[in-house]
Amino acid sequence: MSPPQIKVGILGATGTVGQRFIELLATHPYFSIHALGASARSAGQQYASVVRWKLASPIPDHVRSMVVQECTPGAGGFAECGVVFSGLDADVAGDIEHAFRAADLIVYSNAKNYRRDPLCPLIVPLVNPAHLAIIPHQRQQLGLEKGYIVTNANCSTTGLVVPLAALEKAFGPLETVMVTTLQAISGAGYPGVSSLDIMDNVVPLISGEEDKIEWETNKILGGVTPDNKAFDLHAPKQINVSATCTRVPVIDGHTGCVSVKFTKSPPPSIAEVQKAFREYTCEAQQLGVPSAPAQAIVVHDAPDRPQPRLDKNLHNGACVSVGRIRECPVFDVKFVCLIDNVRLGAATSSIINAEIAVEKGLIV
Amino acid sequence: MSPPQIKVGILGATGTVGQRFIELLATHPYFSIHALGASARSAGQQYASVVRWKLASPIPDHVRSMVVQECTPGAGGFAECGVVFSGLDADVAGDIEHAFRAADLIVYSNAKNYRRDPLCPLIVPLVNPAHLAIIPHQRQQLGLEKGYIVTNANCSTTGLVVPLAALEKAFGPLETVMVTTLQAISGAGYPGVSSLDIMDNVVPLISGEEDKIEWETNKILGGVTPDNKAFDLHAPKQINVSATCTRVPVIDGHTGCVSVKFTKSPPPSIAEVQKAFREYTCEAQQLGVPSAPAQAIVVHDAPDRPQPRLDKNLHNGACVSVGRIRECPVFDVKFVCLIDNVRLGAATSSIINAEIAVEKGLIV
Amino acid sequence: MSPPQIKVGILGATGTVGQRFIELLATHPYFSIHALGASARSAGQQYASVVRWKLASPIPDHVRSMVVQECTPGAGGFAECGVVFSGLDADVAGDIEHAFRAADLIVYSNAKNYRRDPLCPLIVPLVNPAHLAIIPHQRQQLGLEKGYIVTNANCSTTGLVVPLAALEKAFGPLETVMVTTLQAISGAGYPGVSSLDIMDNVVPLISGEEDKIEWETNKILGGVTPDNKAFDLHAPKQINVSATCTRVPVIDGHTGCVSVKFTKSPPPSIAEVQKAFREYTCEAQQLGVPSAPAQAIVVHDAPDRPQPRLDKNLHNGACVSVGRIRECPVFDVKFVCLIDNVRLGAATSSIINAEIAVEKGLIV
Amino acid sequence: MSPPQIKVGILGATGTVGQRFIELLATHPYFSIHALGASARSAGQQYASVVRWKLASPIPDHVRSMVVQECTPGAGGFAECGVVFSGLDADVAGDIEHAFRAADLIVYSNAKNYRRDPLCPLIVPLVNPAHLAIIPHQRQQLGLEKGYIVTNANCSTTGLVVPLAALEKAFGPLETVMVTTLQAISGAGYPGVSSLDIMDNVVPLISGEEDKIEWETNKILGGVTPDNKAFDLHAPKQINVSATCTRVPVIDGHTGCVSVKFTKSPPPSIAEVQKAFREYTCEAQQLGVPSAPAQAIVVHDAPDRPQPRLDKNLHNGACVSVGRIRECPVFDVKFVCLIDNVRLGAATSSIINAEIAVEKGLIV
């Protein structure tokens, strides 16, 4: 039985991630868009008149004339929202999300600000929705009845940890992960990357990105302590992760070139690894939430796949593609992974996380 | 004192590498273009009428009307050449270069066919011209008075081994190298990569490329046995190299993201590594050959460099750029390197190799 | 009431246009894919094993294992097809389509070979399906009971004539049309345009394209003679059309920059022209065929639209976008138009033409 | 005899055009860089520490440590400059250039602000340096002894008027010109065009650009009145110019697709037009100033040229390329032209204009 329609707000509604939230939520079976928040400059005006809409699908009709609000919990409509999605930039997300939670509202955020907070779950929906178990503790610590913050991971982290989760599920803890990413321009928002910087070019730096991958991976792949009050950060032993992140002239879709070493010895064979990827299933699928992909991981047999332009759309951008699974002369196994950074890497993750929370009674 | 002008031939003169040979040799202080070889289809016609010239500089005037020959040692002009440069494709290079050598001609080849031949030097001119020492043995084994074959390395191997050579020179043998490359379309020749395959895309496979990097590195960084009759392939212990190669929408310039582990413990500091790169000099520079770069390695301090479009032209594309030198959480040091794949990665290497051979009396 | 399911064949099924036919017909309400034709090299093998599939959607499941036939009317399955769609290249389309028609089969072709044939309709489905009236005469001249050929227009012609048809419908004959096109790489098929030719570049020539636009426009915008036996080629006076065609680094979507002069004096105002575009409707819409767009022409108010990447998907690529409608200092009105060259510019046109033919009893 | 070295200042030295001025003036035979002006934010700091240098050649060594000044005529060094080049943005160029002239300094500006000023020459160096004749009048009207302003044209105007000047020189006045441009991203400065706006896309609007082409053409191709006090704006009859301007994913090089109608009847033949382009010479060449190209117009015979990536570098970017010269079904002749928008389209024009002024005694 489908749950009752839940009113939702969107913070940062005019931004790149905000536009994706609108596109994905416009016809959602659980959620209906009720309030849009943006900067004071846009507040009070109709959405279509202030947004620089950059998606290839048009602005949903009923959203065009919605009046944009300031991003304060008291602004029209947010108080009635069962959940507020945040696509805010990191420079403002910290304070605004804090204020919304303090007003006893529920925030599912794509921003980085609370990812390392010991009270806030950092959830990749195809990996660790079990981390939602900490929410009662978060509410209790803050003296809130309803409000809390859940974050999703950095886009390139998300593309990496889904296949890593499949490997750990099948073969036990990983010891070492090396990854080089080739990331799309859309990851930098709009206007984001200047065309003079990236056309016919590679920029071998994305500020802060490598540290995010190296840190977030252990929180996501770790567990919750038995008392549901803390994250174990992949105890007893963290995975040793080394990341190099580059920007390439691709519009959407982050590619990762990965090599991993298992703690298990001897390591699994290539065939076993392929099987583990193919057979990986996750709680989002078991719960049957509407935005969960039919397959969490699509394994490509063609030797030159996955490719961002051709494969990012699989399962509406809600899965991770994996290919070129082969032995590594240095570690155990190498593979290439691909994520749609603007969907599973951003808005789609927040939405699936919230869908799971609905099923678990954490959004009502 | 500059040596006397030496007549040279170019095999595969209408191809992508052949065009670079012509551009670079048109005004060369040692060499003058004397014979052009291409397929039977082009033979007998003027160069300008058969080539699809794709460089941004025009065809040198005196080359336009040169008559193209078939790629046989008896065809007009080759017999008088002091050296023949080969930009042939691998599917024909094996037989043709063999025939030229058998006719007692000297071949400097960009093709892969003889790179693993135990008699043929595989020379990156900024690294191992000492391997030319095997030439007397090659001649002797084949019963030749003058003829021999020297090859240069694969373009992405070349960009990698120059900084690796600097590290081994300063700190002793490397134990492990992991590299992910982001390679330019020009590496595939013309017509090469279809625009429908690479625009707004990454292709995570370049057939055979990873194996070349993993194998060639040890021959290049190894030495010649004391009797000058064999290569030691980095004895007593090979470097463990793992490569992942991708194609990105960049016209010229291969980027490599590298992590290395030294055998030396403790490893050098980041400052020591930077210093080793900056201070690296090579025999080509000491000999002062005309195409040697003023700096073999350019170290970039800007955190987002090197970038292919902006940095490939440094020192006329004859150096390797290195940047982002930093600690690796898994191995010892990570860095990013960049090579102009159509110059130092191809024609320029052959030419510097030949310049060195002139200085050593191996081309007269 | 929907018509009974009609079996269809696809010629050139492995090519760029053929892949679009398969994508669009895989779930079509009128048509079911029954036979796939390709070169002798592919014949006898399963489709998925011979095609180099280049679309972002996967190969439809039931098509993967279909066995490819040679392109002869006697090959398995074609004889039972109610219509055969041809995505063949022009170098083979002439003979093959002739043979299929001679075998009394119905061919809807995207190839150029029969566009100028005085017996064959050249139909842009949003403009001149009335030209189907010549089919009885075509059959009769060739002594056929059922077979005939219908062609659709060149992709860039299609994008131009839809807005021109709207103008002629509202304001009478046009006198002069100047157009410069900026065409996508997908128009050249696969492998088509080399990436080395088009990245960071414009190629100001598409061989034969300007002549197609200049000629086809008058056949399409003209009528059929009262006896339904000939095309009047825009009698009594042809439109004077001048086209310049360029290739730009865009994957899908041809842009046209157009200036027109009316015979009517004074010409309509800009507001009247905008209204004519907005209100333009066509027979395909009136018949309600399944692939007809809700709007034939989408008028963009934003001053920097239409743009190929953002607007090509409107109405599933089955409409033409128009924007920047303004006065021309030289002629009367200037505007910019955009067509999805691989959908309305190719396969979608053939399919809508056939849908209309079904409604008119010309395919049964 | 070469003139004595003249000290020059550069306004807007950190911007895109300013960087080109520095690159081109660093080794100039007439001029030596003496003062660099930028915003107050950069003033007082070393050039290398404040500029985001985006050229593929490094910052000239002696410029790296120059201290940047504010853009006021009293700031250190400007007073000693024989000429000040302005690469300022239009929003500040009006006031600053006015102030410099009022301080009796000579300004050669790339900005648009004074192009339509009836006292200021608008000079394309390969077309109308004769307009310098108005300078005594400009000085006299403003009561200045030395100071004046000369502007160069918009980049796309420049690429158009050079071939138009050749046609008018050979065949008399033009009546009508239609042009569609495909312009490079570098024309918009840095950061300029967002990569999300232009990758895999065409933007069919460049704000204000069409009006510039339509207006500037007549001032440039017109003359000076016999009293040297006014511009005749192509009297007695202006050319009727209609322009459509688009942005395409090209880094450098604006392409124009042009159709022209002569007043002369019958019009010249295609062969005569080709000859007129080939034989066009201009005063900059006759004076032999150092940056003048050997050929003002390069005529391409290959049917698919000129192309921006391959042809922009001809004559160091100081010429205009023309190709595809053919009959127009509507007007008389069509052709394609190409200009390097960052060199002849911007800084190079200012510099050649100043070189000519040196030869004419207007800069001393």
Side-chain angles (χ1 to χ4, degrees):
Chain A
M1 192 199 74
S2 81
Q5 195 81 358
I6 295 165
K7 290 175 177 154
V8 305
I10 299 170
L11 300 174
T14 55
T16 306
V17 176
Q19 293 181 30
R20 285 282 165 188
F21 274 125
I22 287 173
E23 182 186 55
L24 293 164
L25 293 169
T27 59
H28 195 277
Y30 289 9
F31 303 126
S32 71
I33 301 173
H34 183 69
L36 302 177
S39 68
R41 197 177 59 250
S42 301
Q45 301 180 69
Q46 293 199 344
Y47 184 72
S49 70
V50 294
V51 71
R52 298 191 62 174
W53 187 260
K54 292 290 172 185
L55 305 186
S57 61
I59 306 177
D61 275 342
H62 67 287
V63 174
R64 296 187 63 85
S65 58
M66 285 183 69
V67 174
V68 174
Q69 310 294 327
E70 283 198 62
C71 289
T72 56
F78 287 119
E80 300 110 54
C81 288
V83 60
V84 174
F85 292 103
S86 167
L88 291 167
D89 287 338
D91 56 342
V92 297
D95 289 346
I96 293 175
E97 295 176 4
H98 187 275
F100 271 70
R101 179 174 62 179
D104 220 17
L105 290 166
I106 296 171
V107 178
Y108 277 68
S109 174
N110 187 61
K112 71 177 180 187
N113 306 62
Y114 293 95
R115 287 183 191 152
R116 303 194 188 191
D117 187 305
L119 291 177
C120 291
L122 169 59
I123 299 184
V124 170
L126 310 184
V127 174
N128 64 325
H131 287 202
L132 288 169
I134 206 173
I135 287 175
H137 180 63
Q138 183 184 154
R139 284 170 169 162
Q140 190 244 319
Q141 287 291 301
L142 300 168
L144 295 169
E145 193 165 327
K146 192 187 105 189
Y148 64 87
I149 294 174
V150 166
T151 66
N152 51 276
N154 178 50
C155 46
S156 53
T157 308
T158 303
L160 176 65
V161 296
V162 173
L164 297 187
L167 295 178
E168 292 210 322
K169 187 176 178 186
F171 310 113
L174 294 165
E175 183 177 300
T176 308
V177 173
M178 293 272 290
V179 59
T180 298
T181 66
L182 295 81
Q183 300 190 209
I185 56 169
S186 58
Y190 183 84
V193 181
S194 165
S195 56
L196 277 173
D197 280 332
I198 198 63
M199 276 182 58
D200 181 26
N201 208 13
V202 167
V203 178
L205 174 75
I206 302 176
S207 192
E209 193 82 355
E210 295 169 0
D211 183 53
K212 287 180 199 168
I213 293 176
E214 294 171 359
W215 195 92
E216 294 178 8
T217 296
N218 278 293
K219 181 167 178 181
I220 296 162
L221 293 178
V224 181
T225 54
D227 60 2
N228 286 333
K229 294 189 173 171
F231 303 104
D232 71 12
L233 305 179
H234 209 265
K237 192 170 182 312
Q238 295 215 344
I239 306 171
N240 199 6
V241 182
S242 176
T244 296
C245 295
T246 72
R247 186 82 67 195
V248 294
V250 164
I251 297 169
D252 293 320
H254 290 352
T255 301
C257 301
V258 189
S259 183
V260 300
K261 184 169 169 50
F262 296 90
T263 53
K264 179 178 195 283
S265 176
S269 70
I270 296 304
E272 289 168 330
V273 168
Q274 287 175 324
K275 187 161 175 287
F277 285 143
R278 282 188 211 281
E279 297 185 350
Y280 180 68
T281 58
C282 62
E283 193 180 356
Q285 297 170 299
Q286 288 141 15
L287 292 170
V289 298
S291 303
Q295 289 173 274
I297 297 174
V298 173
V299 176
H300 295 257
D301 294 322
D304 60 352
R305 302 290 274 264
Q307 296 178 10
R309 185 157 63 81
L310 296 180
D311 296 318
K312 67 187 170 192
N313 285 329
L314 289 168
H315 299 291
N316 290 317
C319 68
V320 171
S321 278
V322 170
R324 299 209 67 213
I325 305 161
R326 63 208 196 281
E327 286 187 13
C328 176
V330 168
F331 294 137
D332 295 329
V333 175
K334 291 197 282 192
F335 60 89
V336 172
C337 60
L338 171 75
I339 185 172
D340 184 321
N341 60 298
V342 291
R343 289 189 280 182
L344 186 62
T348 298
S349 267
S350 275
I351 292 170
I352 304 182
N353 284 344
E355 291 170 356
I356 293 169
V358 168
E359 294 297 330
K360 295 191 172 191
L362 292 164
I363 295 173
V364 291
Chain B
M1 193 199 73
S2 81
Q5 196 80 358
I6 295 165
K7 289 176 179 155
V8 304
I10 300 170
L11 300 174
T14 56
T16 306
V17 176
Q19 294 180 28
R20 285 283 166 187
F21 274 124
I22 287 173
E23 182 186 53
L24 293 164
L25 292 169
T27 59
H28 195 277
Y30 289 10
F31 303 125
S32 71
I33 301 173
H34 183 69
L36 302 178
S39 68
R41 195 176 60 250
S42 301
Q45 300 181 68
Q46 294 199 342
Y47 185 73
S49 70
V50 293
V51 70
R52 298 192 62 176
W53 187 261
K54 293 291 173 184
L55 305 186
S57 62
I59 306 177
D61 275 341
H62 67 288
V63 174
R64 296 187 63 85
S65 57
M66 285 183 70
V67 174
V68 175
Q69 311 294 328
E70 283 198 62
C71 290
T72 56
F78 288 119
E80 300 110 52
C81 288
V83 59
V84 174
F85 293 102
S86 167
L88 291 167
D89 287 338
D91 55 343
V92 297
D95 289 346
I96 293 175
E97 296 176 4
H98 188 275
F100 272 70
R101 180 175 60 179
D104 220 18
L105 289 167
I106 296 172
V107 179
Y108 277 69
S109 173
N110 187 62
K112 72 177 179 187
N113 306 62
Y114 292 95
R115 286 183 191 153
R116 302 192 189 193
D117 187 303
L119 290 177
C120 291
L122 169 59
I123 299 184
V124 170
L126 310 184
V127 174
N128 64 325
H131 287 201
L132 289 169
I134 205 172
I135 287 176
H137 180 64
Q138 182 184 155
R139 286 170 168 160
Q140 190 244 319
Q141 287 292 300
L142 301 168
L144 296 170
E145 193 165 328
K146 191 187 107 191
Y148 63 87
I149 293 174
V150 166
T151 66
N152 51 275
N154 178 50
C155 46
S156 53
T157 308
T158 303
L160 176 65
V161 296
V162 174
L164 296 186
L167 295 178
E168 292 210 321
K169 185 176 179 185
F171 311 113
L174 294 165
E175 183 178 301
T176 308
V177 173
M178 293 271 290
V179 59
T180 298
T181 65
L182 296 81
Q183 300 189 211
I185 56 170
S186 58
Y190 183 84
V193 182
S194 164
S195 56
L196 277 172
D197 280 333
I198 199 63
M199 275 182 58
D200 182 26
N201 209 12
V202 167
V203 178
L205 174 75
I206 302 176
S207 192
E209 193 83 354
E210 296 169 1
D211 183 53
K212 287 180 197 167
I213 293 175
E214 294 171 359
W215 195 92
E216 295 179 7
T217 295
N218 279 292
K219 180 166 178 181
I220 296 162
L221 293 178
V224 182
T225 55
D227 59 2
N228 286 333
K229 293 189 175 173
F231 303 104
D232 71 12
L233 305 179
H234 208 265
K237 192 169 181 313
Q238 295 215 345
I239 306 171
N240 199 4
V241 183
S242 177
T244 295
C245 296
T246 72
R247 186 80 68 193
V248 294
V250 164
I251 298 169
D252 293 319
H254 290 351
T255 301
C257 301
V258 189
S259 182
V260 300
K261 185 169 169 51
F262 297 90
T263 53
K264 179 178 195 280
S265 177
S269 69
I270 295 303
E272 288 168 330
V273 168
Q274 288 175 324
K275 187 161 175 288
F277 284 142
R278 281 187 211 280
E279 297 185 351
Y280 180 69
T281 58
C282 60
E283 193 180 355
Q285 298 170 298
Q286 287 142 16
L287 291 170
V289 298
S291 303
Q295 289 175 274
I297 297 174
V298 173
V299 176
H300 295 257
D301 295 321
D304 60 352
R305 303 291 273 265
Q307 296 178 12
R309 186 158 62 82
L310 296 180
D311 297 317
K312 66 186 170 192
N313 283 330
L314 288 168
H315 298 292
N316 290 317
C319 67
V320 171
S321 278
V322 170
R324 299 208 67 213
I325 305 160
R326 62 208 196 281
E327 286 187 13
C328 177
V330 168
F331 294 136
D332 296 329
V333 175
K334 291 197 283 194
F335 60 88
V336 171
C337 60
L338 171 75
I339 185 173
D340 184 320
N341 59 299
V342 290
R343 288 190 279 182
L344 186 61
T348 297
S349 267
S350 275
I351 292 171
I352 304 182
N353 284 343
E355 291 170 355
I356 294 169
V358 168
E359 295 297 330
K360 295 190 170 190
L362 292 163
I363 296 173
V364 291
Chain C
M1 193 199 72
S2 81
Q5 195 82 358
I6 294 165
K7 288 175 179 156
V8 304
I10 299 170
L11 301 174
T14 56
T16 306
V17 177
Q19 293 181 29
R20 285 284 166 185
F21 274 124
I22 287 172
E23 182 186 54
L24 293 165
L25 293 169
T27 60
H28 196 278
Y30 290 9
F31 303 125
S32 70
I33 301 173
H34 183 69
L36 301 177
S39 67
R41 195 176 60 250
S42 302
Q45 300 181 70
Q46 293 199 345
Y47 184 72
S49 70
V50 293
V51 70
R52 298 192 62 175
W53 187 260
K54 293 291 173 184
L55 305 187
S57 61
I59 307 177
D61 275 341
H62 67 287
V63 174
R64 294 187 65 86
S65 58
M66 285 182 69
V67 174
V68 175
Q69 310 295 327
E70 282 199 61
C71 290
T72 56
F78 287 120
E80 299 109 53
C81 289
V83 58
V84 175
F85 292 103
S86 167
L88 291 168
D89 287 338
D91 56 342
V92 296
D95 289 347
I96 293 175
E97 296 176 3
H98 187 275
F100 272 70
R101 180 174 61 181
D104 220 17
L105 289 167
I106 296 171
V107 179
Y108 277 69
S109 173
N110 186 61
K112 71 177 180 187
N113 306 62
Y114 293 95
R115 287 183 191 152
R116 303 193 188 192
D117 187 303
L119 291 177
C120 291
L122 169 59
I123 299 184
V124 170
L126 310 185
V127 174
N128 64 325
H131 287 203
L132 289 169
I134 206 173
I135 287 174
H137 180 65
Q138 183 184 155
R139 285 171 169 161
Q140 190 244 318
Q141 287 291 301
L142 301 168
L144 295 170
E145 192 165 328
K146 191 186 106 190
Y148 63 87
I149 292 175
V150 166
T151 66
N152 51 275
N154 178 50
C155 46
S156 53
T157 307
T158 302
L160 176 65
V161 296
V162 174
L164 297 186
L167 295 178
E168 292 210 322
K169 186 178 177 184
F171 310 114
L174 293 165
E175 183 177 300
T176 308
V177 173
M178 294 270 290
V179 59
T180 299
T181 65
L182 296 81
Q183 299 190 211
I185 56 170
S186 58
Y190 182 84
V193 181
S194 165
S195 56
L196 277 173
D197 280 332
I198 198 64
M199 275 182 59
D200 181 26
N201 209 12
V202 167
V203 178
L205 174 75
I206 302 176
S207 193
E209 193 82 355
E210 296 170 359
D211 184 52
K212 287 180 198 169
I213 293 177
E214 294 171 359
W215 194 93
E216 294 179 8
T217 296
N218 279 293
K219 181 167 178 181
I220 296 162
L221 293 178
V224 181
T225 54
D227 60 2
N228 287 334
K229 293 188 174 173
F231 302 105
D232 72 12
L233 305 179
H234 208 266
K237 190 167 181 315
Q238 294 215 344
I239 306 172
N240 199 5
V241 183
S242 176
T244 296
C245 295
T246 72
R247 187 81 70 194
V248 294
V250 164
I251 298 168
D252 293 319
H254 291 351
T255 301
C257 301
V258 189
S259 182
V260 301
K261 184 170 169 51
F262 296 91
T263 52
K264 180 177 196 283
S265 176
S269 69
I270 295 304
E272 288 169 330
V273 168
Q274 287 176 323
K275 188 161 174 289
F277 284 142
R278 280 187 212 281
E279 297 185 351
Y280 180 69
T281 58
C282 62
E283 194 179 355
Q285 297 170 300
Q286 287 142 17
L287 291 170
V289 297
S291 303
Q295 289 174 275
I297 298 174
V298 174
V299 176
H300 294 258
D301 294 322
D304 61 351
R305 302 289 274 265
Q307 296 177 13
R309 185 158 62 82
L310 296 180
D311 297 316
K312 67 187 170 191
N313 284 330
L314 289 168
H315 299 292
N316 290 317
C319 67
V320 172
S321 279
V322 170
R324 298 208 69 212
I325 305 161
R326 62 207 196 282
E327 287 186 12
C328 177
V330 168
F331 294 137
D332 295 330
V333 175
K334 291 198 282 195
F335 60 89
V336 171
C337 60
L338 171 75
I339 186 173
D340 184 321
N341 58 299
V342 290
R343 288 190 279 182
L344 187 62
T348 298
S349 268
S350 275
I351 292 171
I352 305 181
N353 284 343
E355 291 171 356
I356 293 169
V358 168
E359 294 298 330
K360 295 191 170 189
L362 293 163
I363 296 173
V364 292
Chain D
M1 192 200 73
S2 82
Q5 194 82 358
I6 295 165
K7 289 175 178 153
V8 304
I10 299 170
L11 301 173
T14 56
T16 307
V17 176
Q19 293 180 29
R20 284 284 165 186
F21 274 125
I22 287 172
E23 182 187 54
L24 293 165
L25 293 169
T27 60
H28 195 277
Y30 289 9
F31 303 125
S32 70
I33 300 173
H34 183 69
L36 301 177
S39 68
R41 195 176 59 251
S42 302
Q45 300 180 70
Q46 293 199 344
Y47 184 72
S49 69
V50 293
V51 71
R52 299 192 62 176
W53 187 261
K54 292 291 172 184
L55 305 186
S57 61
I59 307 177
D61 275 341
H62 67 286
V63 174
R64 295 187 64 85
S65 58
M66 284 183 68
V67 175
V68 174
Q69 311 294 328
E70 282 198 62
C71 289
T72 56
F78 287 120
E80 300 109 54
C81 288
V83 59
V84 175
F85 292 103
S86 167
L88 292 167
D89 286 338
D91 55 344
V92 297
D95 289 347
I96 293 175
E97 295 176 2
H98 187 275
F100 271 70
R101 179 174 63 180
D104 220 16
L105 290 167
I106 296 172
V107 179
Y108 277 68
S109 173
N110 187 61
K112 71 177 180 187
N113 306 63
Y114 292 96
R115 286 183 191 151
R116 303 194 189 192
D117 187 304
L119 291 176
C120 291
L122 169 61
I123 300 184
V124 170
L126 310 184
V127 175
N128 64 325
H131 286 203
L132 289 170
I134 205 172
I135 287 176
H137 180 65
Q138 183 185 154
R139 285 170 168 160
Q140 190 244 321
Q141 287 292 303
L142 301 168
L144 296 169
E145 193 164 328
K146 191 187 103 188
Y148 62 86
I149 294 173
V150 165
T151 66
N152 52 275
N154 178 52
C155 47
S156 54
T157 307
T158 303
L160 176 65
V161 296
V162 173
L164 297 186
L167 295 178
E168 292 211 323
K169 186 177 177 184
F171 310 113
L174 293 165
E175 183 177 300
T176 308
V177 174
M178 292 271 290
V179 59
T180 298
T181 65
L182 295 81
Q183 300 190 211
I185 55 169
S186 58
Y190 183 82
V193 182
S194 165
S195 56
L196 277 173
D197 280 332
I198 199 64
M199 275 182 58
D200 182 26
N201 208 13
V202 167
V203 178
L205 175 74
I206 301 176
S207 191
E209 193 82 355
E210 296 169 0
D211 183 53
K212 286 180 198 169
I213 293 176
E214 294 172 359
W215 194 92
E216 294 178 9
T217 296
N218 279 292
K219 181 166 177 180
I220 296 162
L221 292 178
V224 182
T225 55
D227 59 3
N228 286 333
K229 293 188 173 172
F231 302 105
D232 72 12
L233 305 179
H234 209 266
K237 191 168 180 316
Q238 295 215 345
I239 306 171
N240 199 5
V241 182
S242 176
T244 295
C245 295
T246 72
R247 187 81 69 194
V248 294
V250 164
I251 297 169
D252 293 319
H254 290 351
T255 301
C257 301
V258 188
S259 183
V260 301
K261 185 171 168 50
F262 296 91
T263 51
K264 181 178 195 284
S265 178
S269 70
I270 295 304
E272 289 168 330
V273 168
Q274 287 176 323
K275 187 161 176 286
F277 284 143
R278 280 187 212 280
E279 297 185 349
Y280 179 69
T281 58
C282 61
E283 193 179 356
Q285 297 170 299
Q286 288 142 14
L287 291 170
V289 297
S291 304
Q295 289 174 275
I297 297 174
V298 173
V299 176
H300 294 257
D301 294 322
D304 61 352
R305 303 288 274 265
Q307 297 178 12
R309 186 158 62 83
L310 296 179
D311 296 318
K312 67 188 169 191
N313 283 331
L314 289 168
H315 299 292
N316 290 316
C319 67
V320 172
S321 279
V322 170
R324 300 209 66 213
I325 305 161
R326 62 209 196 281
E327 286 186 14
C328 177
V330 168
F331 294 136
D332 295 329
V333 175
K334 291 197 282 194
F335 60 89
V336 171
C337 60
L338 171 75
I339 185 172
D340 183 322
N341 58 299
V342 291
R343 288 189 278 182
L344 186 62
T348 298
S349 267
S350 275
I351 292 171
I352 305 181
N353 285 343
E355 291 170 357
I356 294 169
V358 167
E359 294 298 330
K360 294 192 171 189
L362 291 164
I363 296 173
V364 291

